[in-house]
Amino acid sequence: MEFTRNSRQLLSKIATNDRHGENSPYFDGWKAYDSNPFHPTHNPHGVIQMGLAENQLCFDLIEKWILENPDASICTAEGIDKFKDIAIFQDYHGLKEFREGVAKFMRRVGGNRVKFDLNRIVMSGGATGANETVMFCLADPGDAFLVPSPYYAGFARDLRWRTRLDIVPVDCRSSNNFRITRAALEEAYEKARRSNINVKGVIIANPSNPLGTVLDKETMRSLVSFINDKNIHLVCDEIYAATVFSSPRFISIAEIIQDMDCNRDLIHIVYSLSKDMGFPGLRVGIVYSFNDDVMNCARKMSSFGLVSSQTQFFLASMLNDEEFVGNFLRESSKRLAKRHHVFTKGLERVGISSLKSNAGLFFWMDMRPLLKEQTVEAEIELWRVIINKVKLNVSPGSSFQCSEPGWFRVCFANMDDETVRVALERIRQFVLQGKEKDDVSDKSKHWKKQNLRLSFSSVRLYDESLMTPRMISPHSPIPHSPLVRART
């Protein structure tokens, strides 16, 4: 114990502070999965990972393209002649053809309504590094950013840990589908000012993580007006831009400011290929700013997190293949829509609703009727049952600073169809057992709340028109115990 304490004293205060955010159910769920991962044959009673926002639905399209384009790699016979040129030092601007490909991809994802300047594209090690880079450029230790909640749990790490910045949540509520309002922004801003907190800006995720919704024009114009009036920054994390699978469409902040009278030096975009194309392991993050000083500063800092030149070379060829990109985006949208439908409709059949959404790799599940009481403690109690007994890693809303207990983020694009069936069957058994237990004690009167009615007449939790009909998997470690009872 004494040795550990002395060892920590040898490290920096930044390295040992607790601002990383790792001590939360969001990361605890990942650890539970890592220690006991589900496998249909090797470990059928393991934890199913539904807390990882990863897009694995279109790998077959990527693999097909790679086989058809062997010269896109410097590690093949067809591409080996480029090895030396790519392996030697590249400057911080990155390969021109790579930046051209990214600019074209961002434009296409935005509906070809705005052009992106390749000279404003700065690389970083994933969106994590891009967000931190922007924070270093815009704020000093002790400064703060307003962040509408619920917000991505990793922001605690990305925005705060090494920068020593603070986050001021802007409470958004389910009564208006968690829409960001000017009134909520003003309230959070003034509260921070009264606490002598220097607010340097607002950061949003559009499409939203964890809500899976896109911002409308009115809301975005209101955001721009707000930051312009306060003379603070607006950082838009648009890393889920190409995961929109139904209307309304995604609108980039770059499109919004085209016809607005505002200070563009205050507007910055973070982008990545981790979600839209399913490449988190390639660590491709992008900073795009309309502020020249931010661009110059970010480019200097990019030496700490450059994308490898081999990766740039490979992606340049792929992103500049317009036929492939168009087909990929169309097919990805179809597959995301299909999987989203399967999951949400399956849950509806056992009376579990979710926020209406049309983007992202997740949805916002409403478990409020299953809480013993409307508190964070009750939410965590329910989460512990789900992770430890039902063996599903879903992330509780408190991890995302949601002001209303009982919401959970469910990721749906990181698994195959068979795992989807197992997950839905586990949920079905979980709810059914809770219903039976509640019936014995109180004739089911607790199972009504906010017009939600649970129906247990159907044993099929998937749409046969969307998934190949087969028996639901028997691999289900459902406990013979607790589902907390809903109360009115």
Side-chain angles (χ1 to χ4, degrees), residues 12-148:
S12 72
K13 292 180 180 179
I14 293 178
T16 56
N17 71 40
D18 60 358
R19 297 166 68 87
H20 183 279
E22 188 176 21
N23 297 321
S24 79
Y26 176 75
F27 289 106
D28 287 344
W30 284 26
K31 295 170 187 175
Y33 167 78
D34 288 341
S35 64
N36 184 26
F38 168 82
H39 188 278
T41 54
H42 301 314
N43 190 25
H45 301 302
V47 175
I48 294 178
Q49 174 61 290
M50 301 171 73
L52 177 61
E54 194 168 67
N55 189 355
Q56 298 186 19
L57 301 185
C58 289
F59 277 156
D60 60 314
L61 303 182
I62 302 293
E63 291 165 354
K64 182 174 183 292
W65 185 90
I66 291 173
L67 292 173
E68 294 174 351
N69 295 270
D71 57 341
S73 171
I74 60 173
C75 299
T76 63
E78 293 82 356
I80 193 65
D81 61 317
K82 294 287 186 179
F83 181 86
K84 180 179 178 182
D85 292 338
I86 298 302
I88 62 176
F89 179 79
Q90 311 292 329
D91 79 23
Y92 301 155
H93 290 76
L95 301 179
K96 182 181 179 181
E97 56 267 39
F98 169 71
R99 290 181 289 121
E100 286 177 340
V102 171
K104 281 196 275 188
F105 189 79
M106 292 174 69
R107 178 180 181 179
R108 188 157 192 167
V109 168
N112 292 312
R113 290 174 171 84
V114 61
K115 287 186 177 181
F116 290 92
D117 182 355
L118 67 90
N119 294 313
R120 290 192 175 277
I121 289 175
V122 175
M123 296 177 296
S124 183
T128 296
N131 274 315
E132 186 184 62
T133 295
V134 172
M135 294 301 107
F136 267 112
C137 292
L138 301 183
D140 294 309
D143 290 343
F145 270 73
L146 305 181
V147 187

Side-chain angles (χ1 to χ4, degrees), residues 284-328:
V284 179
I286 299 296
V287 175
Y288 189 98
S289 177
F290 294 90
N291 186 315
D292 291 339
D293 291 332
V294 170
M295 283 287 90
N296 292 332
C297 178
R299 189 162 285 117
K300 292 175 185 176
M301 294 184 63
S302 68
S303 60
F304 296 101
L306 285 173
V307 179
S308 78
S309 54
Q310 178 182 351
T311 299
Q312 291 183 56
F313 180 75
F314 166 72
L315 290 176
S317 182
M318 180 181 290
L319 295 177
N320 284 299
D321 184 338
E322 295 192 12
E323 181 180 357
F324 166 77
V325 169
N327 179 61
F328 178 89

Side-chain angles (χ1 to χ4, degrees), residues 319-469:
L319 295 177
N320 284 299
D321 184 338
E322 295 192 12
E323 181 180 357
F324 166 77
V325 169
N327 179 61
F328 178 89
L329 292 176
R330 286 188 295 271
E331 187 62 25
S332 177
S333 178
K334 290 178 184 177
R335 295 183 188 185
L336 287 170
K338 176 179 174 180
R339 179 60 65 80
H340 180 271
H341 177 86
V342 168
F343 249 117
T344 56
K345 293 304 178 183
L347 292 176
E348 284 180 14
R349 290 187 176 96
V350 292
I352 298 176
S353 66
S354 58
L355 185 74
K356 184 178 180 181
S357 59
N358 70 314
L361 311 175
F362 35 72
F363 57 88
W364 198 228
M365 180 172 64
D366 187 359
M367 300 285 274
R368 288 175 297 174
L370 303 187
L371 298 183
K372 286 182 177 178
E373 54 189 13
Q374 299 302 307
T375 64
V376 172
E377 291 76 17
E379 175 185 276
I380 296 302
E381 180 182 349
L382 176 58
W383 170 77
R384 288 196 180 103
V385 173
I386 294 173
I387 190 74
N388 294 322
K389 302 295 184 181
V390 188
K391 302 294 181 64
L392 299 176
N393 176 29
V394 296
S395 305
S398 53
S399 302
F400 303 90
Q401 301 302 310
C402 185
S403 59
E404 300 177 11
W407 293 90
F408 288 74
R409 191 189 72 166
V410 180
C411 297
F412 60 78
N414 64 332
M415 63 188 77
D416 59 22
D417 286 351
E418 175 61 19
T419 306
V420 171
R421 294 186 181 90
V422 176
L424 286 172
E425 173 63 2
R426 290 183 184 185
I427 294 171
R428 186 186 74 88
Q429 291 192 30
F430 174 57
V431 174
L432 279 173
Q433 289 182 12
K435 166 69 162 57
E436 292 167 356
K437 181 178 179 181
D438 219 35
D439 278 346
V440 170
S441 63
D442 207 358
K443 297 295 183 181
S444 79
K445 72 177 182 179
H446 297 306
W447 289 94
K448 296 178 182 179
K449 185 166 186 171
Q450 296 184 354
N451 297 320
L452 289 176
R453 294 179 179 274
L454 304 191
S455 171
F456 306 96
S457 59
S458 174
V459 296
R460 289 179 302 190
L461 299 185
Y462 61 93
D463 189 328
E464 291 183 345
S465 68
L466 295 177
M467 297 178 75
T468 304

